[in-house]
Amino acid sequence: MIRTAEWVRDRGRTNDDNLLPLCEQANRRKNLSRIEYSRLPNGHVTITTPTGHSVDTEPAPF
């Protein structure tokens, strides 16, 4: 599992491995909360809340 790195906060890189197809609301929620996103080797994404609840999802196509 690869944890994505926030561009400003974590000095994350802007490359395919660190990008997620988030809508405006999801991107805002990611930036204003402690929700973490991790990319799985199969392309799916794991979303983890601050309380530890996780869900795996397949991102929408671009």
Side-chain angles (χ1 to χ4, degrees):
M1 187 175 339
I2 301 166
R3 182 180 171 274
T4 58
E6 185 64 37
W7 184 72
V8 173
R9 183 183 62 214
D10 302 329
R11 298 182 187 261
R13 300 180 65 176
T14 303
N15 59 23
D16 290 345
D17 293 334
N18 198 44
L19 297 176
L20 295 171
L22 299 176
C23 67
E24 187 176 341
Q25 286 180 331
N27 190 55
R28 184 175 205 61
R29 188 177 317 116
K30 175 182 67 71
N31 291 335
L32 298 176
S33 70
R34 293 181 7 204
I35 293 175
E36 292 185 9
Y37 293 80
S38 301
R39 183 180 303 278
L40 301 173
N42 64 2
H44 289 203
V45 174
T46 298
I47 303 166
T48 307
T49 66
T51 60
H53 180 76
S54 293
V55 65
D56 291 344
T57 184
E58 184 174 1
F62 285 108

Coordinates of all heavy atoms in Angstrom, one line a residue:
M1 N 0.8 -1.2 0.0 CA 0.0 0.0 0.0 C 0.9 1.2 0.0 O 1.9 1.3 0.7 CB -0.9 0.0 1.2 CG -1.9 1.1 1.2 SD -3.1 1.1 2.6 CE -3.2 -0.5 3.2
I2 N 0.6 2.2 -0.8 CA 1.3 3.4 -1.0 C 0.5 4.6 -0.4 O -0.6 4.9 -1.0 CB 1.7 3.7 -2.4 CG1 2.5 2.5 -3.0 CG2 2.5 5.0 -2.5 CD1 2.7 2.5 -4.5
R3 N 0.9 5.2 0.6 CA 0.2 6.4 1.2 C 0.5 7.6 0.3 O 1.7 7.8 0.0 CB 0.6 6.7 2.6 CG -0.1 7.8 3.2 CD 0.3 8.1 4.7 NE -0.3 9.3 5.1 CZ 0.2 10.5 4.9 NH1 1.4 10.6 4.3 NH2 -0.4 11.6 5.4
T4 N -0.5 8.3 -0.1 CA -0.3 9.4 -1.0 C 0.2 10.6 -0.1 O -0.1 10.6 1.1 CB -1.6 9.9 -1.7 OG1 -2.6 10.1 -0.7 CG2 -2.1 8.8 -2.6
A5 N 1.0 11.4 -0.6 CA 1.6 12.5 0.1 C 1.0 13.8 -0.3 O 1.0 14.1 -1.5 CB 3.1 12.6 -0.1
E6 N 0.5 14.6 0.6 CA -0.1 15.9 0.3 C 1.0 16.8 -0.3 O 2.1 16.9 0.3 CB -0.7 16.5 1.5 CG -1.5 17.8 1.4 CD -2.7 17.6 0.5 OE1 -3.3 16.6 0.5 OE2 -2.9 18.5 -0.3
W7 N 0.7 17.5 -1.4 CA 1.6 18.3 -2.0 C 2.3 19.4 -1.1 O 3.5 19.5 -1.0 CB 1.0 19.0 -3.3 CG 2.0 19.8 -4.1 CD1 3.0 19.2 -4.9 CD2 2.1 21.2 -4.2 NE1 3.7 20.3 -5.5 CE2 3.1 21.5 -5.1 CE3 1.4 22.2 -3.6 CZ2 3.5 22.7 -5.4 CZ3 1.8 23.5 -3.9 CH2 2.8 23.8 -4.8
V8 N 1.5 20.2 -0.5 CA 2.0 21.2 0.4 C 2.5 20.7 1.8 O 3.6 20.9 2.2 CB 1.0 22.4 0.6 CG1 1.5 23.4 1.6 CG2 0.7 23.1 -0.7
R9 N 1.6 20.0 2.4 CA 1.8 19.6 3.8 C 3.0 18.6 3.9 O 3.8 18.6 4.7 CB 0.5 19.0 4.4 CG 0.7 18.5 5.8 CD -0.6 17.9 6.3 NE -0.9 16.7 5.6 CZ -2.1 16.2 5.3 NH1 -3.1 16.9 5.6 NH2 -2.2 15.1 4.6
D10 N 3.0 17.6 3.0 CA 4.0 16.5 3.0 C 5.1 16.6 2.0 O 5.9 15.7 1.8 CB 3.3 15.2 2.8 CG 2.2 14.9 3.9 OD1 2.3 15.4 5.0 OD2 1.2 14.2 3.5
R11 N 5.0 17.7 1.2 CA 6.0 17.9 0.1 C 5.9 16.7 -0.9 O 6.9 16.2 -1.4 CB 7.4 18.1 0.6 CG 7.6 19.3 1.4 CD 9.0 19.4 1.9 NE 9.2 20.5 2.8 CZ 9.6 21.7 2.5 NH1 9.9 22.0 1.3 NH2 9.7 22.7 3.4
G12 N 4.6 16.3 -1.2 CA 4.4 15.2 -2.1 C 4.7 15.6 -3.5 O 4.7 16.7 -3.9
R13 N 5.0 14.6 -4.3 CA 5.4 14.8 -5.7 C 4.1 14.8 -6.6 O 3.1 14.1 -6.3 CB 6.3 13.7 -6.1 CG 7.6 13.6 -5.3 CD 8.5 12.6 -5.7 NE 8.9 12.9 -7.1 CZ 9.7 12.2 -7.8 NH1 10.3 11.1 -7.3 NH2 10.1 12.5 -9.0
T14 N 4.2 15.5 -7.6 CA 3.1 15.5 -8.6 C 3.4 14.5 -9.7 O 4.1 14.8 -10.7 CB 2.9 16.9 -9.2 OG1 2.6 17.8 -8.1 CG2 1.7 16.9 -10.1
N15 N 3.0 13.2 -9.5 CA 3.3 12.2 -10.5 C 2.1 11.2 -10.4 O 1.2 11.3 -9.5 CB 4.6 11.5 -10.2 CG 4.8 10.9 -8.9 OD1 3.8 10.6 -8.2 ND2 6.0 10.7 -8.4
D16 N 2.1 10.3 -11.3 CA 0.9 9.3 -11.4 C 0.7 8.5 -10.1 O -0.4 8.2 -9.8 CB 1.1 8.4 -12.6 CG 1.0 9.1 -13.9 OD1 0.5 10.2 -14.0 OD2 1.4 8.5 -14.9
D17 N 1.8 8.2 -9.4 CA 1.7 7.4 -8.2 C 1.1 8.2 -7.0 O 0.7 7.6 -6.1 CB 3.1 6.8 -7.8 CG 3.6 5.8 -8.8 OD1 2.8 5.2 -9.5 OD2 4.8 5.7 -8.9
N18 N 1.1 9.5 -7.1 CA 0.6 10.3 -6.0 C -0.7 11.0 -6.3 O -1.1 11.9 -5.6 CB 1.7 11.3 -5.6 CG 1.5 11.8 -4.2 OD1 1.2 11.1 -3.3 ND2 1.7 13.1 -4.1
L19 N -1.3 10.8 -7.5 CA -2.5 11.5 -7.8 C -3.7 10.6 -7.6 O -3.7 9.4 -7.8 CB -2.5 11.9 -9.3 CG -1.3 12.8 -9.7 CD1 -1.4 13.1 -11.2 CD2 -1.5 14.1 -8.9
L20 N -4.8 11.2 -7.2 CA -6.1 10.6 -7.1 C -7.2 11.3 -7.8 O -7.2 12.6 -7.8 CB -6.5 10.5 -5.6 CG -5.6 9.6 -4.7 CD1 -6.0 9.8 -3.2 CD2 -5.7 8.2 -5.1
P21 N -8.1 10.6 -8.4 CA -9.2 11.3 -9.1 C -10.3 11.7 -8.1 O -11.3 11.1 -8.0 CB -9.7 10.3 -10.1 CG -9.4 9.0 -9.5 CD -8.2 9.2 -8.7
L22 N -10.1 12.9 -7.4 CA -11.1 13.3 -6.5 C -11.9 14.5 -7.0 O -11.4 15.3 -7.7 CB -10.4 13.8 -5.2 CG -9.5 12.8 -4.4 CD1 -8.8 13.4 -3.3 CD2 -10.4 11.6 -4.0
C23 N -13.2 14.5 -6.7 CA -14.0 15.6 -7.0 C -13.7 16.8 -6.1 O -12.9 16.6 -5.2 CB -15.5 15.3 -6.9 SG -16.1 15.0 -5.2
E24 N -14.2 17.9 -6.4 CA -13.9 19.1 -5.6 C -14.2 18.9 -4.1 O -13.4 19.3 -3.3 CB -14.6 20.3 -6.2 CG -14.2 21.6 -5.5 CD -14.9 22.8 -6.2 OE1 -15.4 22.7 -7.3 OE2 -14.9 23.9 -5.5
Q25 N -15.4 18.4 -3.8 CA -15.7 18.2 -2.4 C -14.8 17.2 -1.7 O -14.4 17.4 -0.6 CB -17.2 17.6 -2.3 CG -18.2 18.7 -2.6 CD -19.6 18.1 -2.5 OE1 -19.8 16.9 -2.8 NE2 -20.6 18.9 -2.2
A26 N -14.5 16.1 -2.4 CA -13.6 15.1 -1.8 C -12.2 15.7 -1.6 O -11.5 15.4 -0.5 CB -13.5 13.8 -2.6
N27 N -11.7 16.5 -2.5 CA -10.4 17.1 -2.4 C -10.4 18.0 -1.2 O -9.4 18.1 -0.4 CB -10.0 17.8 -3.6 CG -8.5 18.2 -3.6 OD1 -7.7 17.4 -3.4 ND2 -8.3 19.5 -3.8
R28 N -11.4 18.8 -1.0 CA -11.6 19.8 0.1 C -11.6 19.0 1.4 O -10.9 19.4 2.4 CB -12.8 20.6 -0.1 CG -13.0 21.7 1.0 CD -14.2 22.5 0.6 NE -14.2 23.8 1.1 CZ -13.4 24.8 0.9 NH1 -12.3 24.6 0.1 NH2 -13.5 26.0 1.4
R29 N -12.4 17.9 1.5 CA -12.5 17.1 2.7 C -11.1 16.5 3.0 O -10.7 16.5 4.2 CB -13.5 16.0 2.5 CG -13.8 15.2 3.7 CD -14.8 14.1 3.4 NE -15.9 14.5 2.6 CZ -16.2 14.0 1.4 NH1 -15.5 13.1 0.9 NH2 -17.3 14.5 0.7
K30 N -10.3 16.1 2.0 CA -9.0 15.5 2.2 C -8.1 16.6 2.8 O -7.3 16.3 3.7 CB -8.4 15.0 0.9 CG -7.0 14.5 1.0 CD -6.5 14.1 -0.4 CE -6.3 15.2 -1.4 NZ -5.3 16.1 -1.2
N31 N -8.2 17.8 2.3 CA -7.3 18.9 2.7 C -7.6 19.4 4.1 O -6.7 19.9 4.8 CB -7.3 20.0 1.7 CG -6.6 19.6 0.4 OD1 -5.8 18.7 0.4 ND2 -7.0 20.3 -0.7
L32 N -8.9 19.4 4.5 CA -9.3 20.0 5.7 C -9.5 19.0 6.9 O -9.9 19.4 8.0 CB -10.6 20.8 5.5 CG -10.5 21.9 4.5 CD1 -11.9 22.6 4.3 CD2 -9.5 23.0 5.0
S33 N -9.2 17.8 6.6 CA -9.4 16.8 7.7 C -8.1 15.9 7.8 O -7.1 16.1 7.1 CB -10.6 15.9 7.4 OG -10.3 15.1 6.3
R34 N -8.2 14.9 8.6 CA -7.1 13.9 8.7 C -7.4 12.6 8.0 O -6.8 11.6 8.3 CB -6.8 13.7 10.2 CG -6.3 14.9 10.8 CD -5.9 14.8 12.3 NE -6.0 13.4 12.8 CZ -6.2 13.1 14.0 NH1 -6.4 14.0 14.9 NH2 -6.3 11.8 14.4
I35 N -8.3 12.6 7.0 CA -8.6 11.4 6.2 C -7.4 11.1 5.4 O -6.8 12.0 4.8 CB -9.8 11.7 5.3 CG1 -11.1 11.8 6.2 CG2 -10.0 10.5 4.3 CD1 -12.3 12.1 5.4
E36 N -7.0 9.8 5.3 CA -5.8 9.4 4.6 C -6.2 8.6 3.4 O -7.2 7.8 3.5 CB -4.8 8.6 5.5 CG -4.2 9.5 6.6 CD -3.2 8.7 7.3 OE1 -2.8 7.6 6.9 OE2 -2.7 9.2 8.3
Y37 N -5.5 8.7 2.3 CA -5.8 8.0 1.1 C -4.5 7.2 0.8 O -3.4 7.7 0.8 CB -6.1 8.9 -0.1 CG -7.4 9.6 0.1 CD1 -7.5 10.7 0.8 CD2 -8.5 9.1 -0.6 CE1 -8.8 11.4 1.0 CE2 -9.8 9.8 -0.5 CZ -9.9 10.9 0.3 OH -11.1 11.5 0.4
S38 N -4.6 5.9 0.5 CA -3.5 5.1 0.1 C -3.9 4.3 -1.2 O -5.0 3.9 -1.4 CB -3.2 4.0 1.2 OG -2.9 4.7 2.4
R39 N -2.9 4.2 -2.1 CA -3.1 3.5 -3.4 C -2.6 2.1 -3.2 O -1.5 1.8 -2.7 CB -2.4 4.2 -4.5 CG -2.6 3.6 -5.8 CD -1.9 4.3 -6.9 NE -2.2 5.7 -7.0 CZ -3.2 6.2 -7.6 NH1 -4.1 5.4 -8.2 NH2 -3.4 7.5 -7.6
L40 N -3.5 1.1 -3.6 CA -3.1 -0.3 -3.6 C -2.5 -0.7 -4.9 O -2.7 0.0 -5.9 CB -4.4 -1.1 -3.4 CG -5.1 -0.8 -2.1 CD1 -6.4 -1.6 -2.0 CD2 -4.3 -1.2 -0.9
P41 N -1.7 -1.7 -5.0 CA -1.0 -2.1 -6.2 C -2.0 -2.4 -7.4 O -1.6 -2.2 -8.5 CB -0.3 -3.4 -5.8 CG -0.1 -3.3 -4.4 CD -1.3 -2.5 -3.8
N42 N -3.2 -2.8 -7.1 CA -4.2 -3.1 -8.1 C -4.9 -1.8 -8.6 O -5.8 -1.9 -9.4 CB -5.2 -4.1 -7.7 CG -6.1 -3.6 -6.5 OD1 -6.0 -2.5 -6.1 ND2 -7.0 -4.5 -6.0
G43 N -4.5 -0.6 -8.1 CA -5.1 0.6 -8.6 C -6.3 1.1 -7.7 O -6.7 2.2 -7.8
H44 N -6.8 0.2 -6.8 CA -7.8 0.7 -5.9 C -7.2 1.6 -4.9 O -6.0 1.7 -4.7 CB -8.4 -0.5 -5.2 CG -9.3 -1.3 -6.2 ND1 -10.3 -2.1 -5.7 CD2 -9.3 -1.5 -7.5 CE1 -10.9 -2.7 -6.7 NE2 -10.3 -2.3 -7.8
V45 N -8.1 2.3 -4.2 CA -7.7 3.3 -3.2 C -8.3 2.9 -1.8 O -9.5 2.6 -1.8 CB -8.2 4.7 -3.6 CG1 -7.9 5.7 -2.5 CG2 -7.5 5.1 -4.9
T46 N -7.5 3.0 -0.8 CA -8.0 2.8 0.6 C -8.2 4.2 1.2 O -7.3 5.0 1.2 CB -7.1 1.9 1.4 OG1 -6.9 0.7 0.8 CG2 -7.6 1.8 2.9
I47 N -9.4 4.4 1.8 CA -9.7 5.6 2.4 C -9.8 5.3 3.9 O -10.6 4.4 4.3 CB -11.0 6.3 1.9 CG1 -10.9 6.5 0.4 CG2 -11.3 7.6 2.6 CD1 -12.3 6.8 -0.2
T48 N -9.0 6.0 4.8 CA -9.0 5.7 6.2 C -9.4 7.0 7.0 O -8.7 8.0 6.8 CB -7.6 5.2 6.7 OG1 -7.3 4.1 5.9 CG2 -7.7 4.8 8.1
T49 N -10.4 6.9 7.8 CA -10.8 8.0 8.6 C -9.9 8.1 9.9 O -9.2 7.2 10.3 CB -12.3 7.9 9.1 OG1 -12.4 6.8 10.0 CG2 -13.2 7.7 7.9
P50 N -10.0 9.3 10.6 CA -9.2 9.4 11.8 C -9.6 8.4 12.9 O -8.8 8.1 13.8 CB -9.5 10.9 12.3 CG -9.9 11.6 11.1 CD -10.6 10.6 10.2
T51 N -10.8 7.9 12.8 CA -11.2 6.9 13.8 C -10.7 5.5 13.5 O -11.0 4.5 14.2 CB -12.7 6.9 14.0 OG1 -13.3 6.5 12.7 CG2 -13.3 8.2 14.4
G52 N -10.1 5.3 12.3 CA -9.5 4.0 11.9 C -10.4 3.2 11.0 O -10.0 2.1 10.6
H53 N -11.6 3.7 10.7 CA -12.5 3.0 9.7 C -11.9 3.1 8.3 O -11.5 4.2 7.9 CB -13.9 3.6 9.7 CG -14.8 3.0 8.8 ND1 -15.4 1.7 9.1 CD2 -15.3 3.3 7.6 CE1 -16.1 1.4 8.0 NE2 -16.1 2.4 7.1
S54 N -11.8 2.0 7.6 CA -11.2 2.0 6.3 C -12.2 1.4 5.3 O -13.0 0.5 5.6 CB -9.9 1.2 6.2 OG -8.9 1.8 7.0
V55 N -12.1 1.8 4.0 CA -12.9 1.3 2.9 C -12.0 1.3 1.7 O -11.2 2.2 1.5 CB -14.2 2.1 2.7 CG1 -13.9 3.5 2.3 CG2 -15.1 1.4 1.7
D56 N -12.1 0.2 0.9 CA -11.3 0.1 -0.4 C -12.3 0.5 -1.5 O -13.5 0.0 -1.5 CB -10.8 -1.3 -0.6 CG -9.6 -1.6 0.4 OD1 -9.1 -0.7 1.0 OD2 -9.3 -2.8 0.5
T57 N -11.9 1.2 -2.4 CA -12.7 1.6 -3.5 C -11.9 1.6 -4.8 O -10.7 1.8 -4.8 CB -13.4 3.0 -3.3 OG1 -14.3 3.3 -4.3 CG2 -12.4 4.1 -3.1
E58 N -12.6 1.5 -5.9 CA -12.0 1.6 -7.2 C -12.3 3.0 -7.7 O -13.5 3.4 -7.8 CB -12.6 0.6 -8.2 CG -11.9 0.6 -9.6 CD -12.4 -0.5 -10.5 OE1 -13.3 -1.3 -10.1 OE2 -11.9 -0.5 -11.6
P59 N -11.3 3.8 -8.0 CA -11.5 5.2 -8.4 C -12.2 5.3 -9.8 O -12.1 4.4 -10.6 CB -10.1 5.8 -8.5 CG -9.2 4.7 -8.6 CD -9.9 3.5 -8.0
A60 N -13.0 6.3 -9.9 CA -13.7 6.6 -11.2 C -12.7 6.8 -12.3 O -11.7 7.4 -12.0 CB -14.7 7.7 -11.0
P61 N -13.0 6.4 -13.5 CA -12.1 6.7 -14.6 C -12.0 8.2 -14.9 O -13.0 8.9 -14.6 CB -12.7 5.9 -15.8 CG -14.1 5.8 -15.4 CD -14.2 5.7 -13.9
F62 N -10.9 8.6 -15.4 CA -10.8 10.0 -15.8 C -11.6 10.3 -17.0 O -11.8 9.6 -17.9 CB -9.3 10.3 -16.1 CG -8.5 10.5 -14.9 CD1 -7.6 9.5 -14.5 CD2 -8.6 11.5 -14.0 CE1 -6.8 9.6 -13.4 CE2 -7.9 11.7 -12.9 CZ -7.0 10.7 -12.6

